């Protein structure tokens, strides 16, 4: 693990096993987790997860878990989000459990994957997700009271907590190699997708396509940024060319105890996992 970020509340003392909640976010590039007690962040850890990229993700997680004594205990609940490009939405009112095999064809599962169905309550959607089978088994072996999600659920749950439901609102969440975008119009989800980009020019292309597709008045539309982005980044400067009302998002999880060198918006999706059911 290269240059990990590690924060522990100086007043935190691990209580009886089972009193804390654990949130974990896993991608091919990084892993982060937060230990939460009484709605306060007690431990926050992030590290590069791309070492030995040819090693299966489940094996990499096993090695990571073995290196983290704080994870080797019982938690009240554990919620894990896994980044995947294989997902599809079904409106809750149209979803029928007996039709799951048909829905799953849209995400093309195979013998090495499992299909999960998760609720996105504020958007009134079911999310059909493909997860690596070995990774799911590894997580189930390590944690009790476990819930597994994709990156989609915490991001959308989090933005609904942030949106004021009275205007157009574009949310962009950045990660290594890409970003995810969601557009809310008067409090309703009109669009969500993920995009792979390598630089600011590629991002600019997708941003212009989003503007063209939805035609929002960029001077009136709010835009909220989360994830791996800061005001000095070239991508941020591109956004400034088109939008006037720009802010950084913040999970409604209390995080005022973080040191100033850790930006709260960076962990928006991780911390929004606590909203997922």
């Amino acid at each position: 693990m290269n240059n990990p970020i590690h924060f522990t509340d100086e007043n935190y003392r691990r209580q009886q096993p089972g009193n804390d909640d654990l949130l974990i976010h896993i991608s091919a590039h990084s892993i982060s987790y937060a230990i939460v007690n009484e709605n306060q962040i007690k431990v926050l850890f992030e590290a590069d997860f791309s070492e030995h990229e040819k090693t299966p993700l489940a094996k990499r997680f096993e090695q990571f878990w073995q290196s983290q004594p704080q994870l080797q205990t019982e938690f009240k609940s554990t919620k894990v989000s896994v980044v995947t490009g294989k997902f599809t939405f079904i409106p809750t009112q149209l979803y029928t459990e007996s039709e799951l095999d048909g829905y799953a064809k849209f995400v093309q599962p195979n013998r090495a994957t499992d299909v999960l169905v998760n609720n996105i309550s504020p958007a009134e959607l079911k999310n059909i997700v493909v997860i690596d089978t070995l990774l799911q088994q590894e997580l189930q072996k390590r944690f009790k009271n476990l819930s597994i999600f994709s990156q989609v659920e915490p991001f959308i749950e989090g933005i609904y907590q942030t949106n004021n439901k009275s205007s157009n609102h574009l949310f962009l969440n950045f990660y290594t190699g890409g970003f995810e975008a969601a557009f809310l119009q008067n409090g309703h989800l009109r669009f969500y997708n993920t995009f792979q980009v390598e630089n600011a020019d590629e991002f600019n292309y997708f941003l212009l396509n989003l503007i063209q597709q939805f035609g929002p008045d960029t001077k009136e539309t709010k835009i909220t940024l989360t994830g791996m982005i800061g005001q000095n980044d070239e991508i941020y400067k591109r956004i400034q060319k088109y939008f006037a009302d720009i802010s950084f998002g913040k999970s409604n999880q209390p995080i005022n105890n973080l040191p100033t060198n850790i930006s709260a918006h960076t962990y928006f999706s991780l911390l929004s996992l606590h909203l997922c059911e």
Side-chain angles (χ1 to χ4, degrees), residues 13-276:
R13 297 293 181 271
R14 190 69 196 268
Q15 304 300 316
Q16 292 296 321
N19 285 353
D20 298 332
D21 296 303
L22 175 63
L23 311 174
I24 304 176
H25 180 71
I26 302 172
S27 76
H29 302 286
S30 66
I31 183 167
S32 56
Y33 70 82
I35 296 175
V36 182
N37 184 276
E38 296 182 351
N39 292 321
Q40 285 284 323
I41 305 303
K42 300 304 180 182
V43 177
L44 181 66
F45 186 96
E46 180 185 27
D48 176 73
F49 205 40
S50 59
E51 295 181 6
H52 312 294
E53 289 187 357
K54 294 183 180 180
T55 302
L57 201 55
K59 184 63 177 179
R60 276 187 277 166
F61 182 82
E62 177 188 15
Q63 294 169 347
F64 177 79
W65 181 86
Q66 291 173 344
S67 73
Q68 299 293 307
Q70 295 192 98
L71 298 183
Q72 300 171 25
T73 186
E74 183 179 344
F75 293 91
K76 184 169 60 177
S77 71
T78 298
K79 295 180 179 181
V80 180
S81 60
V82 181
V83 175
T84 175
K86 291 191 173 185
F87 61 88
T88 191
F89 298 148
I90 305 294
T92 302
Q93 62 183 0
L94 299 179
Y95 176 81
T96 304
E97 188 172 353
S98 61
E99 298 295 324
L100 178 57
D101 288 344
Y103 304 144
K105 292 179 181 177
F106 292 105
V107 289
Q108 300 178 334
N110 56 51
R111 293 182 180 179
T113 60
D114 289 331
V115 175
L116 305 180
V117 181
N118 292 322
N119 289 316
I120 308 178
S121 298
E124 298 181 345
L125 295 172
K126 296 281 190 179
N127 190 23
I128 316 300
V129 182
V130 166
I131 297 293
D132 178 80
T133 299
L134 293 179
L135 177 60
Q136 180 173 236
Q137 291 173 348
E138 176 65 24
L139 293 168
Q140 291 171 335
K141 181 170 66 174
R142 302 301 178 186
F143 304 110
K144 298 179 180 179
N145 304 316
L146 171 69
S147 299
I148 302 176
F149 305 91
S150 72
Q151 81 283 356
V152 182
E153 294 90 292
F155 181 58
I156 294 180
E157 293 277 0
I159 68 176
Y160 266 89
Q161 291 287 325
T162 303
N163 180 246
N164 61 15
K165 300 182 180 181
S166 63
S167 62
N168 294 339
H169 203 152
L170 178 62
F171 294 84
L172 303 177
N173 183 59
F174 295 87
Y175 49 83
T176 300
F179 71 100
E180 53 188 326
F183 182 65
L184 298 187
Q185 188 174 52
N186 298 321
H188 299 285
L189 182 68
R190 298 304 183 196
F191 175 86
Y192 171 88
N193 208 347
T194 62
F195 303 89
Q196 301 305 305
V197 298
E198 296 297 330
N199 52 53
D201 289 336
E202 290 187 7
F203 167 77
N204 205 90
Y205 168 81
F206 287 113
L207 181 62
L208 289 175
N209 272 272
L210 288 171
I211 293 172
Q212 182 178 22
Q213 181 174 355
F214 296 103
D217 182 341
T218 57
K219 298 302 180 185
E220 299 295 331
T221 299
K222 292 173 61 67
I223 183 165
T224 298
L225 310 178
T226 56
M228 297 171 57
I229 187 169
Q231 288 183 323
N232 295 323
D233 294 347
E234 183 61 33
I235 284 179
Y236 184 89
K237 297 173 183 177
R238 299 298 180 94
I239 294 169
Q240 281 185 309
K241 291 171 58 178
Y242 308 105
F243 292 89
D245 190 352
I246 306 171
S247 62
F248 289 98
K250 181 179 178 181
S251 168
N252 67 356
Q253 186 77 255
I255 48 177
N256 54 15
N257 57 329
L258 291 181
T260 56
N261 66 324
I262 298 180
S263 300
H265 72 270
T266 304
Y267 300 98
F268 179 84
S269 287
L270 170 69
L271 300 178
S272 292
L273 263 171
H274 80 285
L275 299 170
C276 297

